[in-house]
Amino acid sequence: MDSIVMSNGDVLIGEIKGLDKSVLIFKTKYSDKDFQIKWLKVTEIYSSRYFIASLNGGDRFSSTISSIPGKKGRVNLDVGVNAIEEDIMDVIYLDPIGKNHLSRLTLDIDIGFTLSKSNNFRQFMTNLSGNYAEDRWISSAYFNSVLSRQDDTEDLRRIEGDIDFIYYLPHSWFLQTGAEYLGNDEQKLNLRSTYKVGSGYFFKRNNEIDIWSWQRNCLYL
């Protein structure tokens, strides 16, 4: 169970879903929707769970996070070997993860089938996506396919796929590579492949501003 203390003294108990772009997503049992809280309004935070945490200086690591009693605005980041003391506003990103590798993997699978008596219409759909996060890199993949059949009409097939990989370097640099695939019978497109690779740099990134440059080169096949 996680807890946070707001600048007005309110205390929320629940689950930290993540922090990005100065917004903390917080889930409680007594609300149907997750709270979106401005990070600048949070004065204390307590959690024993592990997060991928980023600081405004570009450091990125796995740790727990808890405010330090008697030290206003200071948090303790326990990375397992030693503890790091930082200002709470220097924490710019939190993503909850588990301690083992399998718990860092997220998979979503959707399968659907549509049947209509009109023209004997049948459609089969699949949607697969996955994400894996480590301290220094993130990888994600996506695949979607639709197959439609009906009387007196040619079969229609549409497939889409995407693979991305980001590696975070020291001093606010990062590398990114990926590939995109598209096939669509309606567009007479058997398969189009797009490959990309590039690098980026965060010029300024904190809880008040997020500016970064991104350059990439693409190869179309």
Side-chain angles (χ1 to χ4, degrees):
M1 194 69 67
D2 308 324
S3 63
I4 59 174
V5 180
M6 309 295 294
S7 56
N8 62 359
D10 289 346
V11 178
L12 295 179
I13 298 175
E15 180 183 351
I16 298 171
K17 305 291 288 186
L19 165 67
D20 195 19
K21 294 181 173 60
S22 302
V23 176
L24 179 72
I25 307 300
F26 198 83
K27 178 182 179 181
T28 63
K29 293 182 178 180
Y30 48 81
S31 176
D32 294 333
K33 295 182 179 180
D34 296 342
F35 287 100
Q36 296 189 16
I37 303 169
K38 291 183 178 180
W39 185 236
L40 296 173
K41 299 291 186 180
V42 178
T43 58
E44 297 179 37
I45 181 171
Y46 300 94
S47 178
S48 59
R49 296 190 298 141
Y50 266 78
F51 299 85
I52 292 180
S54 291
L55 305 179
N56 60 10
D59 292 332
R60 183 182 173 92
F61 44 79
S62 297
S63 73
T64 60
I65 180 170
S66 291
S67 293
I68 302 175
K71 292 187 177 182
K72 185 178 180 180
R74 305 293 291 180
V75 293
N76 185 62
L77 300 165
D78 189 349
V79 298
V81 179
N82 51 27
I84 302 172
E85 182 180 329
E86 294 286 343
D87 189 282
I88 191 172
M89 288 298 110
D90 286 341
V91 180
I92 60 174
Y93 178 82
L94 291 173
D95 183 20
I97 58 172
K99 291 184 178 181
N100 58 56
H101 294 290
L102 185 60
S103 63
R104 301 187 179 200
L105 176 66
T106 302
L107 291 175
D108 291 307
I109 301 175
D110 294 316
I111 298 176
F113 182 75
T114 302
L115 178 64
S116 175
K117 292 184 178 180
S118 177
N119 295 326
N120 195 25
F121 177 77
R122 291 158 292 167
Q123 187 177 73
F124 181 72
M125 298 164 289
T126 60
N127 191 343
L128 310 174
S129 63
N131 182 81
Y132 185 86
E134 283 284 355
D135 297 0
R136 282 291 176 183
W137 58 271
I138 296 176
S139 181
S140 61
Y142 166 82
F143 176 78
N144 174 268
S145 69
V146 178
L147 176 62
S148 300
R149 292 180 177 177
Q150 60 181 334
D151 295 343
D152 304 321
T153 304
E154 291 186 1
D155 294 349
L156 293 178
R157 175 190 62 98
R158 186 178 74 247
I159 60 171
E160 298 176 84
D162 182 273
I163 301 173
D164 278 298
F165 179 84
I166 301 177
Y167 187 83
Y168 294 92
L169 299 168
H171 309 299
S172 299
W173 285 92
F174 65 90
L175 302 175
Q176 182 170 7
T177 185
E180 297 176 358
Y181 302 94
L182 175 64
N184 194 321
D185 290 345
E186 289 182 304
Q187 299 178 4
K188 307 299 181 182
L189 186 63
N190 186 34
L191 182 64
R192 183 180 69 191
S193 304
T194 305
Y195 300 92
K196 55 189 178 182
V197 61
S199 63
Y201 176 75
F202 291 96
F203 288 107
K204 186 71 173 179
R205 194 183 187 196
N206 55 38
N207 285 301
E208 295 179 349
I209 191 170
D210 189 351
I211 301 175
W212 55 286
S213 73
W214 163 238
Q215 296 179 343
R216 71 179 184 183
N217 296 317
C218 294
L219 174 63
Y220 296 87
L221 299 178

